[in-house]
Amino acid sequence: MNEFVQSIADAMSSSLGAPLAVFLLSMIPIAEARFAIPFGISMGLKPFEAFGWAFLGTSLITPILLLILIPIINALSRTKLFSKLGKFLFDKFSKKSKKLADDDAQTDEKPRFFNKRDFKRMGGTALFVAVPLPLTGVWTGSAVASIIKLGFVKGLIGVVAGNAVACAILTLIGFLFADYVNYITLAFFIIAVIVVLILIVKLIIYKPDKTAAEGGAISADTDAAETVTPNDSENHIRNNSGSAANDKKE
């Protein structure tokens, strides 16, 4: 197995060059820096070089993901051919963002660009991305930031900060266990394949809740939009009715 991983690393290094290979691999979902950094070290890069190219790749794709990932998923949800896939992906990202969204209650703080709630959600997003495991990278982190409506700048800060920590952890692992880096690379690859297979099986058996999925997709289309619940609608109607009654009395 060690020779197999090394032969693939040598082939990619000779065809693309190790820096470019790491840079491109780090942009691929599920793999990201978790696979790119140990693989870069297997291709002969020094740990800090693998860190730099992987961090650059994942960081450059983050602002793009923050802008287009959820809108693309929403667009897929509204198509006939890819509706199930879009709703499945949105549902997965929504579940991962639930803990952060639960803390997103309104406070008495005066509106400002950065407040205590924003720092808390940015920290939560960063911690989520910082865990160097599949499905906790910049792709999922960007989707989570979009769903909880963290905003572009705040989401970018949270995701990139968490990504820096994850890349540093992986680089440290590659440095401390340099003699076993091929096995580490293979382990991450196997985990990624297993994750993909599990996701495919879950997609096949997935039965979307049409009302919930459509409502969620619409609410996440725009960062500025606010989620409206049935209770909010009832309260709005009562308030309008009360205002009208007061106007008549006057």
Side-chain angles (χ1 to χ4, degrees):
M1 280 298 180
N2 186 40
E3 291 77 10
F4 173 71
V5 173
Q6 193 60 54
S7 64
I8 295 175
D10 292 340
M12 290 193 70
S13 180
S14 60
S15 59
L16 291 175
L20 181 58
V22 172
F23 178 78
L24 295 176
L25 281 171
S26 67
M27 294 184 175
I28 299 174
I30 299 178
E32 300 189 27
R34 286 125 178 84
F35 178 75
I37 288 177
F39 194 59
I41 297 173
S42 295
M43 286 189 285
L45 289 178
K46 294 179 180 178
F48 73 87
E49 291 176 328
F51 169 89
W53 287 107
F55 180 71
L56 180 63
T58 47
S59 296
L60 285 179
I61 201 172
T62 298
I64 300 172
L65 295 174
L66 286 168
L67 291 173
I68 69 171
L69 181 56
I70 291 301
I72 288 175
I73 290 173
N74 289 338
L76 290 174
S77 300
R78 290 189 287 268
T79 64
K80 197 170 184 179
L81 185 59
F82 299 105
S83 176
K84 186 176 181 180
L85 174 62
K87 291 173 182 177
F88 171 76
L89 291 173
F90 188 87
D91 186 48
K92 295 295 292 183
F93 290 140
S94 294
K95 287 178 180 177
K96 289 184 178 295
S97 66
K98 192 175 184 302
K99 289 183 179 180
L100 292 175
D102 286 344
D103 294 332
D104 191 23
Q106 294 295 327
T107 63
D108 295 331
E109 293 183 80
K110 293 181 180 180
R112 51 186 177 182
F113 188 69
F114 282 106
N115 55 41
K116 186 177 179 181
R117 184 186 61 177
D118 289 333
F119 279 113
K120 187 175 181 180
R121 293 190 300 165
M122 287 167 61
T125 302
L127 286 174
F128 176 80
V129 178
V131 179
L133 292 173
L135 300 182
T136 61
V138 298
W139 281 74
T140 306
S142 297
V144 168
S146 298
I147 289 173
I148 65 174
K149 297 172 187 154
L150 186 55
F152 178 79
V153 174
K154 299 167 192 173
L156 183 62
I157 294 171
V159 173
V160 171
N163 183 45
V165 175
C167 289
I169 292 172
L170 290 161
T171 303
L172 182 61
I173 291 172
F175 175 75
L176 294 176
F177 302 97
D179 294 337
Y180 305 97
V181 71
N182 286 345
Y183 295 105
I184 295 171
T185 302
L186 183 62
F188 274 110
F189 176 76
I190 292 172
I191 291 171
V193 170
I194 292 172
V195 168
V196 170
L197 292 175
I198 291 173
L199 288 175
I200 291 172
V201 172
K202 286 186 176 182
L203 175 60
I204 292 171
I205 64 176
Y206 176 71
K207 294 181 179 179
D209 181 347
K210 292 184 179 180
T211 304
E214 289 172 4
I218 292 169
S219 67
D221 261 333
T222 310
D223 284 344
E226 293 184 4
T227 304
V228 179
T229 65
N231 290 335
D232 293 333
S233 299
E234 286 181 17
N235 292 334
H236 181 68
I237 293 170
R238 288 173 184 170
N239 290 337
N240 287 343
S241 299
S243 298
N246 291 334
D247 290 341
K248 287 182 180 180
K249 288 180 182 181
E250 291 174 359

